[in-house]
Amino acid sequence: MYTLSAFNSSLIVLVNIYTDEFNNWQDTRVYANDAMQVSIFVSVNYNGDTDEGILDQIKGYVQENVVIYTLDDGKVILDTSKWKKSKEGNSFHHDIDHAGNSIPGTVSDIRAPLYFTVPVGSEGEHRWIAKLDEKETSTSTPVTITVQKFSATSGDVEIVNKAATPCNQMRALKYKDGVFPDVQKLVKLVDYKGIKFLSSADKAWVSMIHSSKGHKMGVFVEYKQTQKIRVAKPGHEYFPHEMIKKDLGGSGDRNILHCGCCDDSLDFTLAEVEEVWNEGIAMLMAHHSSLEMIKYYSSLAVSTNYNNFEMNDFLIEDNFGNRMTCHINWNKDSGWWGNWAVSTITVVYP
């Protein structure tokens, strides 16, 4: 019976260093935001028999023992206290130009992935080589990492109308077309604000309500929720344990949402909501003469007070790890009919 030899690190031969698992690319472009990672693939051969277990050991050995050198100022070991090293990639894209373009295929070598978080303030061109044991890749064929600062303004972001019912409309908070590469999208709020009603509804946050001026409501749908979008059960009295409130005062201990057609949001199809998420961050606008939210306080037996509040500043994130504070004007064009706009965008860092 044929038996594979045990793993032997001395049989590993360093070949080269790339920026893709399946292509021989040696250039990459990334943002300096302390969130996006640059991906590096160390290419090796193995002069012995392999199976899946030995391949894992080869990659593990390379990841643990390879040393990355920067050629920016002579040949210096990369400072991994700044360029934080990981064996695992995070949820963000790793290359501005090639995101979504890498096609899985077959390569003759073995490639061990490493990921380095791109620090703030590292803008410029960086050239790296790899050294494993006593062998290093050529200084004439380094990987070239072009690091750029991310910038955006209110003119780069918009809120667009999508599918609608008689008094509800899906909207997308998104980058304007043509401003950034097509693959670069706004994806989520980092922190939600306002009121989230639980029990019969738990997928949306009311961030604006005008009960007495406009009878309108502005809502953020929770990240990647796509079905049965409902703000609250109309007419239901929500007690404190049935709500989550963030950054909101003076909204009462108990709340009731009155709306003759707000449950129409349940009619949005999976495809309609997914289309919004494919463009940006999903929002919901409700507008109807019957729409109002009543607030009660424990010290009062009855109340005729209406909730009127606006949360304006939201921390948003795109799929490259860029974060911005987005200020929303819920009252564009006199404010009565639910027209919204992005007033300011300020880039921030984790």
Side-chain angles (χ1 to χ4, degrees):
M1 183 176 67
Y2 178 74
T3 303
L4 283 173
S5 302
F7 167 69
N8 185 344
S9 63
S10 67
L11 300 179
I12 298 175
V13 179
L14 180 64
V15 177
N16 214 332
I17 182 173
Y18 300 108
T19 58
D20 188 78
E21 185 176 5
F22 304 105
N23 296 281
N24 291 341
W25 298 335
Q26 289 192 295
D27 64 285
T28 186
R29 189 162 61 100
V30 292
Y31 290 116
N33 58 19
D34 209 27
M36 186 177 182
Q37 296 171 317
V38 57
S39 56
I40 297 297
F41 293 85
V42 181
S43 167
V44 299
N45 285 326
Y46 186 72
N47 293 329
D49 298 321
T50 61
D51 60 9
E52 187 172 341
I54 289 180
L55 285 173
D56 288 341
Q57 291 181 77
I58 294 169
K59 292 179 181 180
Y61 179 86
V62 173
Q63 289 173 322
E64 287 291 339
N65 293 279
V66 72
V67 179
I68 302 298
Y69 284 82
T70 174
L71 305 179
D72 299 345
D73 187 15
K75 190 178 78 172
V76 181
I77 294 177
L78 182 69
D79 185 352
T80 53
S81 67
K82 295 180 179 178
W83 295 79
K84 297 181 180 65
K85 174 184 171 182
S86 175
K87 300 174 187 176
E88 303 290 336
N90 59 24
S91 61
F92 304 121
H93 285 305
H94 305 304
D95 189 310
I96 297 172
D97 298 316
H98 296 141
N101 294 335
S102 179
I103 300 174
T106 302
V107 292
S108 59
D109 54 349
I110 301 166
R111 298 190 182 185
L114 287 172
Y115 303 89
F116 298 87
T117 303
V118 186
V120 173
S122 60
E123 294 86 358
E125 184 177 281
H126 304 269
R127 295 177 301 129
W128 294 357
I129 62 171
K131 182 176 181 179
L132 183 65
D133 299 328
E134 298 304 316
K135 185 175 181 181
E136 64 183 41
T137 57
S138 174
T139 57
S140 63
T141 58
V143 295
T144 300
I145 300 139
T146 302
V147 180
Q148 68 182 59
K149 185 176 182 178
F150 175 76
S151 62
T153 69
S154 59
D156 300 326
V157 182
E158 62 182 347
I159 300 172
V160 298
N161 297 335
K162 303 301 292 182
T165 65
C167 74
N168 291 278
Q169 184 172 63
M170 294 299 303
R171 291 179 171 177
L173 174 62
K174 61 183 286 291
Y175 287 132
K176 288 184 178 179
D177 294 343
V179 174
F180 299 108
D182 290 343
V183 72
Q184 189 166 347
K185 310 282 187 181
L186 292 175
V187 290
K188 67 178 181 179
L189 262 66
V190 177
D191 294 304
Y192 292 90
K193 296 180 179 182
I195 303 177
K196 177 183 178 180
F197 294 100
L198 306 176
S199 185
S200 55
D202 61 358
K203 297 181 179 180
W205 286 80
V206 179
S207 294
M208 177 274 288
I209 181 79
H210 279 288
S211 298
S212 56
K213 181 186 177 183
H215 300 286
K216 62 183 181 179
M217 183 167 58
V219 176
F220 280 97
V221 179
E222 283 205 330
Y223 182 57
K224 290 302 183 183
Q225 294 292 339
T226 56
Q227 292 181 297
K228 297 182 179 179
I229 306 302
R230 189 188 209 188
V231 176
K233 183 179 180 180
H236 177 75
E237 183 174 350
Y238 284 86
F239 285 78
H241 69 279
E242 297 177 286
M243 298 180 288
I244 299 174
K245 296 185 178 183
K246 289 187 178 179
D247 297 339
L248 184 64
S251 60
D253 301 321
R254 293 166 288 149
N255 296 105
I256 300 176
L257 178 69
H258 291 296
C259 183
C261 60
C262 284
D263 267 2
D264 288 355
S265 63
L266 293 167
D267 295 334
F268 288 121
T269 67
L270 172 65
E272 288 172 332
V273 183
E274 283 185 337
E275 181 182 341
V276 179
W277 282 117
N278 288 337
E279 291 192 22
I281 298 169
M283 304 178 73
L284 176 71
M285 186 274 289
H287 181 277
H288 193 263
S289 59
S290 66
L291 194 158
E292 60 188 21
M293 186 185 295
I294 298 176
K295 58 182 178 181
Y296 293 86
Y297 289 93
S298 299
S299 58
L300 300 175
V302 296
S303 175
T304 56
N305 291 323
Y306 295 106
N307 257 328
N308 293 285
F309 63 79
E310 295 181 3
M311 319 301 292
N312 297 106
D313 293 311
F314 300 90
L315 185 60
I316 60 177
E317 185 176 79
D318 74 11
N319 53 359
F320 286 88
N322 299 305
R323 288 186 173 186
M324 296 143 276
T325 299
C326 173
H327 185 95
I328 294 179
N329 177 7
W330 302 102
N331 304 296
K332 182 187 176 186
D333 304 328
S334 80
W336 194 262
W337 298 109
N339 296 322
W340 308 340
V342 175
S343 295
T344 60
I345 288 287
T346 305
V347 177
V348 298
Y349 298 102

